[in-house]
Amino acid sequence: MSAVPNHAGSWRSLEIPLNDTILATLDNMGFETMTPVQAGAIPLFMKNKDVVVEAVTGSGKTLSFVIPILEKLLRREEPLKNYEIGAIIITPTRELAQQIHSVCQTFVDEFDDEKQEEIQSGLFIGGSNSIIDDIKSFKEQHPRILIGTPGRLDELLRAGQHLVNTKELEVLVMDEADRLLDMGFSKQLNSIIAQLPKQRRTGLFSATMTDAISELVRAGLRNPVRIVVKVEDLANKGEVQRTPTTLDIDYVVCDADQKLLQMTRILLSELQNEEDGARKFIVYFATCAMVDYFYKILSRLPQLKPFSFHSLHGQMDTKRRSLTYTSFTELSPAIPAVLLCTDVASRGLDISDLDYVIQVDPPQDPKAFSHRCGRAGRAGRKGHATVILVRGREELYIDLLKLRKIPIQRKPYIMPDLTVFDNSVQRDNSKHEMEVDEKATSVKVEDEEVMPFIQSIRAIVKTDRDISDRSLKAFVSWARSYSKHEASYIFRIKDIDLCQLAMGFGLLKLPKMPELKTQLSSEGATNKFVEEEINWDTFKYLDKQREAKRLRELKEYQEKGPQQKANSHQPKKKSVAWSEKQEAQKRKQVRKEKKQAKKEYLKRKAEEEAENKKRQMEEDVDEWEELAKEERMFKKVKKGKLDKDTFDEMFDE
């Protein structure tokens, strides 16, 4: 493990000096000094060492590999030619690949045309382009640095195996390496590595290291130097924290129907604070369906009219994702903007002017918490992050975060006038009802604006039947996501008041869910959901085609539906809780894996038997040739053409 300097020096203090144009570009970018991770990784890369870098998010990892790659290509005795490539950078998401390509091109554009050809980078992320388009682009642009996602890079190397020349490759970098493995890219990574020369430099970069990365290190790196950049918790001397010191993290505790209201008030309170208030926000939701639904709601709430809303998630097509990301990042700082997203935007994205991260739903994977928060407070900039927890068992999540060395403080409940109220259990206030259970550290806040806020959401939902459909889909997707939470001893769906949460979602009616049915039928259950009075037969879609289809189906049902129902003798299919379906899927997956393992074992055994048979045949042939040679030499001895002593020496007799 390499020691990382506590105070990184100037870029001009490196033992191996950097190119003058690169230094000038760094000055123009405002990077006067190196960060600790840059001071630790760059010299090792320059000295042809493999590196494994673990550093907190926002610590400057991108420049730690972009600069050494450029330097190595610029210092080559023989510039790369034809279709030779000098480096590959692999990332888990398209957005991160685009960002790295942008950083790389910032340096490339500062060189003259001749040098640009030596260090030109190419972006290969799939989605918007076909593999044929990418091969055509490779032929036309002759990139020396390939930047992209594992699937498309693997396709490019295999489809263009007689085109893309990897023999001169100098560096392979895997950014957010743990995420690459978590997302199931092991097969593509192994395929890419198999097509690269062994005499190369390899770098793994991540904010967190996992056992899977350790396996990858053992398989693909030669005596790597591990660099770990730790941040000291100033509040607890000697302790280590997993987030930058410039990032303030806190949490708000409220009831299930108050979560969206609290998120809205955080936005408004920051907008009200003209001096230190945030202008650019990321808001995380658990699922893609929630992002789609709440984008429709929040962008139309009257009180949030000053904000520009954007949505981003993994189920969007690539072109729309790229447009959304670009429009959000390039928006003027004068306009307050909010990006609603899932964990697709939790890693690596460097939005320079991002101020605040709000997590409406804690991530399924607790490791992703610090990555989400780390979108703010980057490169020494002040940042803020807040997670919203439901009063009760979810409050145990704070203890888990502290065990993971994430410093987090309590944030008071925000009241209707944007003043704050300390709703911790220690406080006694006669205006607020005390409903404290053994798990809660907070009291219930009687907020008079909750119902008016819910009604304002419902008013938007009632404008289009499509939004109502999205609301139900969002709620069901949340329940599925919650039941799959890795910290399942904390996040238990039976501990959440689903009716109260459904009110917070602004649903017009409850969906048919086994979890809801179970909760409502339990002893002592109270239904806090108030169904909206609405004529569902006349509730329209704004989309004319969908509305026409709905009316046709309604007419058919009214004419034939009741009769078909009366004549039907099929037993009603019993609904099964999501958790039970998950267990069945797990059992099916285990059986599938066992079957596959048996198949691979039989295949391996057959290959071994074939190899042994081939080896035996080769040995028999060798013995036969030796015997034939001996016979020929013996005939020569008998004819006097070869003396006996020479014969004995030849066959060691």
Side-chain angles (χ1 to χ4, degrees):
M1 185 181 294
S2 175
V4 176
N6 291 326
H7 302 284
S10 164
W11 293 99
R12 292 167 174 79
S13 66
L14 286 168
E15 184 180 343
I16 301 176
L18 299 180
N19 181 283
D20 289 340
T21 305
I22 288 179
L23 287 171
T25 307
L26 287 167
D27 290 339
N28 293 337
M29 295 168 76
F31 298 132
E32 297 177 359
T33 59
M34 295 179 286
T35 64
V37 67
Q38 291 161 357
I42 292 175
L44 291 169
F45 248 141
M46 300 285 281
K47 292 177 182 177
N48 295 322
K49 297 283 187 183
D50 286 353
V51 296
V52 178
V53 179
E54 179 183 1
V56 295
T57 184
S59 57
K61 292 191 288 291
T62 302
L63 289 183
S64 299
F65 56 79
V66 167
I67 289 176
I69 286 174
L70 296 173
E71 285 286 345
K72 279 184 170 293
L73 298 185
L74 289 168
R75 291 168 184 267
R76 285 180 60 90
E77 293 181 6
E78 290 286 334
L80 295 167
K81 53 190 175 182
N82 299 328
Y83 299 124
E84 293 176 343
I85 59 171
I88 293 179
I89 302 172
I90 309 174
T91 73
T93 64
R94 299 182 181 102
E95 288 77 17
L96 182 51
Q98 288 173 319
Q99 180 181 292
I100 294 171
H101 180 255
S102 175
V103 171
C104 208
Q105 283 303 115
T106 302
F107 288 93
V108 174
D109 292 343
E110 296 299 316
F111 286 87
D112 57 42
D113 292 344
E114 184 180 346
K115 287 293 183 184
Q116 281 188 13
E117 289 183 9
E118 297 177 20
I119 56 175
Q120 185 64 40
S121 64
L123 181 65
F124 302 93
I125 55 177
S128 56
N129 295 334
S130 68
I131 184 62
I132 296 172
D133 293 332
D134 279 345
I135 290 175
K136 183 181 178 182
S137 172
F138 180 84
K139 287 180 178 179
E140 293 173 351
Q141 297 177 9
H142 301 283
R144 306 307 182 191
I145 305 169
L146 305 186
I147 304 169
T149 48
R152 180 43 57 93
L153 287 175
D154 183 31
E155 281 184 308
L156 180 67
L157 292 178
R158 285 189 290 108
Q161 56 185 330
H162 301 301
L163 175 68
V164 183
N165 188 341
T166 62
K167 291 181 179 179
E168 294 295 317
L169 186 117
E170 300 250 7
V171 181
L172 168 66
V173 168
M174 286 177 262
D175 195 21
E176 299 296 346
D178 60 329
R179 185 69 173 154
L180 282 168
L181 297 171
D182 289 345
M183 292 173 71
F185 289 126
S186 298
K187 184 178 179 181
Q188 290 90 336
L189 292 176
N190 290 331
S191 176
I192 292 170
I193 292 170
Q195 299 174 70
L196 305 181
K198 292 182 179 178
Q199 295 299 325
R200 64 170 191 273
R201 298 282 61 82
T202 304
L204 301 183
F205 290 78
S206 184
T208 51
M209 289 293 160
T210 63
D211 293 337
I213 292 181
S214 300
E215 291 296 322
L216 195 61
V217 168
R218 285 194 286 271
L221 279 70
R222 296 186 173 193
N223 300 317
V225 180
R226 186 173 181 184
I227 299 171
V228 180
V229 179
K230 297 180 178 179
V231 179
E232 184 178 346
D233 186 351
L234 298 177
N236 302 296
K237 293 290 184 181
E239 291 291 325
V240 175
Q241 65 182 57
R242 294 283 184 182
T243 53
T245 54
T246 55
L247 178 62
D248 295 327
I249 306 176
D250 53 34
Y251 66 99
V252 173
V253 180
C254 61
D255 281 8
D257 58 349
Q258 298 169 338
K259 290 184 73 173
L260 200 67
L261 179 59
Q262 282 299 291
M263 185 273 289
T264 302
R265 288 176 183 170
I266 290 172
L267 296 178
L268 293 173
S269 60
E270 288 295 319
L271 188 64
Q272 190 182 68
N273 186 352
E274 294 183 0
E275 292 184 5
D276 301 320
R279 307 291 292 181
K280 216 163 223 184
F281 303 79
I282 284 184
V283 177
Y284 286 99
F285 291 99
T287 69
C288 302
M290 291 177 71
V291 170
D292 284 338
Y293 168 60
F294 285 116
Y295 172 75
K296 295 274 187 184
I297 298 300
L298 296 172
S299 59
R300 294 172 64 178
L301 280 176
Q303 59 267 49
L304 296 179
K305 193 174 181 180
F307 292 88
S308 170
F309 282 91
H310 308 257
S311 63
L312 181 70
H313 59 72
Q315 291 180 2
M316 287 180 174
D317 64 79
T318 307
K319 188 175 182 180
R320 187 179 164 200
R321 276 172 63 174
S322 298
L323 287 173
T324 297
Y325 177 69
T326 303
S327 63
F328 179 72
T329 54
E330 295 182 357
L331 198 67
S332 168
I335 303 173
V338 183
L339 177 66
L340 310 180
C341 60
T342 59
D343 277 335
V344 74
S346 69
R347 295 294 193 104
L349 295 189
D350 189 7
I351 303 170
S352 58
D353 55 348
L354 185 74
D355 303 295
Y356 209 123
V357 171
I358 304 172
Q359 302 187 58
V360 175
D361 300 299
Q364 284 183 3
D365 181 358
K367 294 193 295 293
F369 183 89
S370 57
H371 291 287
R372 284 180 171 188
C373 295
R375 297 314 96 215
R378 300 180 70 81
R381 180 184 172 91
K382 194 71 178 171
H384 202 137
T386 298
V387 60
I388 304 175
L389 301 174
V390 175
R391 192 172 61 90
R393 193 174 188 85
E394 280 193 8
E395 296 178 64
L396 297 174
Y397 191 55
I398 302 306
D399 295 328
L400 176 63
L401 294 177
K402 289 179 178 177
L403 283 174
R404 289 181 171 271
K405 314 240 182 267
I406 296 174
I408 186 166
Q409 304 296 322
R410 189 185 186 97
K411 183 183 181 76
Y413 185 95
I414 304 175
M415 300 302 291
D417 59 357
L418 301 186
T419 59
V420 296
F421 171 74
D422 180 5
N423 64 330
S424 60
V425 74
Q426 291 82 6
R427 176 145 180 170
D428 186 6
N429 192 308
S430 58
K431 294 181 181 179
H432 300 274
E433 182 184 349
M434 297 290 288
E435 284 188 7
V436 183
D437 62 28
E438 58 184 8
K439 306 177 202 70
T441 62
S442 310
V443 298
K444 178 179 175 63
V445 179
E446 290 296 344
D447 191 330
E448 59 188 17
E449 288 295 319
V450 172
M451 276 310 298
F453 181 73
I454 291 170
Q455 289 304 325
S456 66
I457 295 176
R458 283 179 161 181
I460 296 169
V461 175
K462 286 192 287 186
T463 61
D464 185 358
R465 192 175 184 124
D466 175 67
I467 301 178
S468 178
D469 291 349
R470 289 176 185 270
S471 71
L472 295 172
K473 186 178 178 182
F475 186 78
V476 173
S477 72
W478 173 89
R480 291 178 174 179
S481 172
Y482 201 83
S483 65
K484 293 190 292 183
H485 208 290
E486 287 190 17
S488 55
Y489 66 97
I490 296 174
F491 298 93
R492 303 190 306 195
I493 201 163
K494 66 180 182 180
D495 293 317
I496 296 290
D497 190 326
L498 295 176
C499 293
Q500 193 179 41
L501 184 69
M503 288 294 291
F505 269 61
L507 303 190
L508 302 180
K509 64 177 180 179
L510 288 174
K512 293 179 180 179
M513 290 170 54
E515 291 86 355
L516 265 170
K517 188 176 180 181
T518 302
Q519 196 171 97
L520 289 171
S521 62
S522 62
E523 187 178 343
T526 56
N527 187 352
K528 296 180 182 178
F529 186 82
V530 180
E531 189 164 320
E532 188 77 0
E533 292 185 9
I534 186 169
N535 187 335
W536 289 94
D537 288 345
T538 59
F539 187 19
K540 297 180 179 181
Y541 289 106
L542 289 182
D543 185 289
K544 292 182 179 179
Q545 289 185 341
R546 291 190 70 185
E547 177 59 17
K549 182 183 177 183
R550 184 189 75 83
L551 290 173
R552 275 197 314 272
E553 291 175 348
L554 178 63
K555 186 178 180 181
E556 289 173 5
Y557 176 78
Q558 289 172 341
E559 291 175 354
K560 302 178 182 179
Q563 184 180 355
Q564 286 178 347
K565 190 173 181 181
N567 296 335
S568 175
H569 298 291
Q570 293 183 355
K572 188 177 179 182
K573 187 177 178 181
K574 185 180 178 182
S575 58
V576 181
W578 170 254
S579 55
E580 292 182 29
K581 289 182 181 179
Q582 285 293 95
E583 289 299 321
Q585 287 180 357
K586 286 179 182 178
R587 290 194 294 271
K588 185 178 179 181
Q589 183 64 25
V590 169
R591 290 196 300 272
K592 186 177 178 182
E593 289 173 357
K594 286 182 178 179
K595 188 176 180 181
Q596 182 64 24
K598 184 179 179 181
K599 187 177 178 181
E600 290 175 359
Y601 168 75
L602 293 173
K603 182 181 177 182
R604 195 163 56 247
K605 190 174 180 182
E607 288 174 351
E608 289 175 358
E609 288 176 355
E611 185 66 28
N612 291 336
K613 190 174 181 180
K614 182 181 177 183
R615 194 182 301 113
Q616 185 61 47
M617 289 177 66
E618 289 173 352
E619 289 174 359
D620 291 345
V621 170
D622 291 342
E623 289 179 7
W624 180 257
E625 289 178 352
E626 186 70 19
L627 188 61
K629 181 182 177 182
E630 187 176 345
E631 185 179 0
R632 287 195 301 272
M633 293 301 104
F634 183 69
K635 286 179 180 179
K636 287 185 179 182
V637 172
K638 286 185 73 176
K639 291 179 180 180
K641 293 181 180 180
L642 185 70
D643 63 84
K644 192 172 184 302
D645 291 337
T646 304
F647 177 83
D648 292 341
E649 287 177 8
M650 289 177 66
F651 295 99
D652 297 324
E653 189 170 312

